[in-house]
Amino acid sequence: AGRIRRARDEQRSFEMAFGGYSVTVGRGNYFHQSFPIVLHGILDSSFLKLGAKLKVRNAAIGGIPSFPYGWCLPNFLGTSADVVSWDYSMNEAGGVAQGLEAYIRHAMYLKQYAPHSHNDP
């Protein structure tokens, strides 16, 4: 809620960036049927009622695991995401979590996503 309020107060869009595999990309469906775009359709009117605009970025590729994808997050997700989502279940070899951990650590350094020290719940 704090990030939505901050985006509204700063008069900028609240941005959600999605990375991941074929499911997030929407393989077998049209782009407008992919999870991030459907989520935008569901949440958009609620954000408008709160006085905030919602922007969703689907940067999922398919077939790319957390490593090396996680080292290039600004290139894929941009640097202004308030929320970052990663569908990691399909291509992580042997269920090893090190790549996911690195992905999360790199996401925390994105400009908006990084923890803020001033009243950020």
Side-chain angles (χ1 to χ4, degrees), residues 4-80:
I4 296 170
R5 186 179 63 239
R6 186 178 312 115
R8 182 198 61 207
D9 293 349
E10 293 173 0
Q11 297 181 345
R12 62 174 177 79
S13 296
F14 181 86
E15 295 187 28
M16 299 175 80
F18 294 82
Y21 303 119
S22 302
V23 173
T24 306
V25 169
R27 296 279 193 265
N29 294 312
Y30 295 108
F31 181 74
H32 72 278
Q33 296 171 321
S34 65
F35 167 70
I37 306 307
V38 170
L39 184 65
H40 180 271
I42 293 169
L43 296 178
D44 191 47
S45 62
S46 297
F47 271 79
L48 290 174
K49 288 177 184 176
L50 293 170
K53 286 186 175 182
L54 176 62
K55 180 178 179 181
V56 172
R57 185 178 302 115
N58 185 352
I61 296 174
I64 308 258
S66 301
F67 175 80
Y69 193 98
W71 272 254
C72 305
L73 291 184
N75 299 26
F76 292 109
L77 304 179
T79 59
S80 56

Side-chain angles (χ1 to χ4, degrees), residues 70 101 104 117:
E101 179 184 349
I104 293 169
S117 59

